[in-house]
Every structure is written in C-alpha cells, then in structure tokens.
Amino acid sequence: MSRERVLEKVIAAVPGGDPDGQQPEDLPRAVLPGDPISLFLERSRQLGVEVEVVSSEEAAAEAASAWCSRYEVSSVIAWRSNEIASLVDRLRSDGIRVLAPDAGLDQMAQADAGVTAAEWAVAETGTLVLPAAPGQPRLVSVLPFAHLAVLRSERIIPDLAALFARCGPMPSALTLISGPSRSADIGLQPVLGAHGPGVVGVIVIRQT
C-alpha cells in the first residue's frame, strides 16, 4: 500500500476527515470545550505530564534548569534547533553535559534526558507532535528515561484533523507523544517508562 493511500486512510478515520479529498479544515468538527491552550494543559496534566507555562525564552531556560535540577539530570541529548538553543546553553552553564543528537547510540542511551522542541501539539488529546529532521532524530525523545519538550503556545491546535491540515509534506517520521510511556502487558499492571520515557515535561512559551 502506498504512503499516500495510508495517509488517506488515516485522515478518513479522523473526525472531520474525508477520503474523497475534501480538506479537513473545510468540514465541520465537534466543538471542543475551552480554548486550545487551556485544553492542552488540562489533558496533558491528566496524562501525567508536568507542564509549565512561561512568557519568554529566558524564562523557558530557567524552567528547564529547575526541571533538570528536580530530576537530578546531569547529562542530556538535545536536538539541533534554534527553538531551544538558548535553553541548551543555559543547561551547559549549569554544568550539565550536553550530547549532540549524532553522539552515537551508546552515549544516547546513557543520557539522563532528551531535550527537544515540539512542532505542534494537539489540544484534544494532550499530544506533542515531533517531526524527524536532520539533527532532530526521534530517538532523542524516546530513548532517555526523561523527555523535556519546548512548545510555543501558537503551535497548539484543536485536534488531529487540524494537524493533518497544517503539517504540510510529511517528514520521514512523525512522533506523537501523549504522556509518559505506559504498558500493562505483564499481569495487567500499568508500568511507566516501559517502551519510552517514564517522565515527560513540557515548557509552553506563551508570550503576551
């Protein structure tokens, strides 16, 4: 099955999607309660995500420093991204070892946390959307036990239909993260961090 056909099936399965080609933004959708930002914060916290709202990049760097201190993070692997450059510089100044995203699998596995930006967030499900790109591999968000993402509030959209309408050409991989990794495969006992991060933090930059 072609990639285009797979995407058609995904869009058709999303409320408001249309397998015959009508764009999701042209179709009626259910009205979600509250504004997208407030809804994202609510849903994320319900999923066990630690979310902090700040008003500037400088405040985001301060929040990231406090988050790393709280979880005793001594090493991180970070995306190459202008969105988090000043934040990563702050972590270095704190004495935290910052690994490049191409540091190698063994070093990546030993990092305490992964630090990324988030391209989009889906309010309805509290989901972060991270596209893969050069210098921004998906392993940074799934291999370390903790993941910290930086998200701009204007990138929070209502639902999946809006995501597919706005994300444009699909990258090689699109990671959707809805809270810490969970599994109940053994004995029906929920376990955090079984197949990915057991701790997820999000810093939302909401400039006024």
Side-chain angles (χ1 to χ4, degrees), residues 52 54 58-70 73 87-88 90-91 94 96 115 148 150 203:
E52 184 169 353
V54 299
E58 293 77 12
E62 186 71 25
S65 175
W67 185 88
C68 287
S69 176
R70 189 156 55 249
V73 171
L87 182 151
V88 171
R90 169 58 190 269
L91 298 185
D94 288 344
I96 293 173
V115 180
L148 179 65
V150 177
I203 299 172

Side-chain angles (χ1 to χ4, degrees), residues 22-90:
Q22 190 174 4
Q23 294 300 312
E25 65 266 32
D26 297 331
L27 297 171
R29 295 190 204 105
V31 176
L32 299 176
D35 70 279
I37 297 173
S38 297
L39 183 59
F40 173 77
L41 298 177
E42 177 185 347
R43 294 289 164 84
S44 295
R45 287 164 178 155
Q46 288 172 348
L47 291 168
V49 177
E50 184 177 338
V51 189
E52 184 169 353
V53 181
V54 299
S55 59
S56 66
E57 291 187 6
E58 293 77 12
E62 186 71 25
S65 175
W67 185 88
C68 287
S69 176
R70 189 156 55 249
Y71 288 104
E72 300 182 345
V73 171
S74 62
S75 63
V76 302
I77 182 161
W79 271 8
R80 290 192 182 96
S81 169
N82 291 333
E83 295 281 335
I84 59 172
S86 60
L87 182 151
V88 171
D89 286 343
R90 169 58 190 269

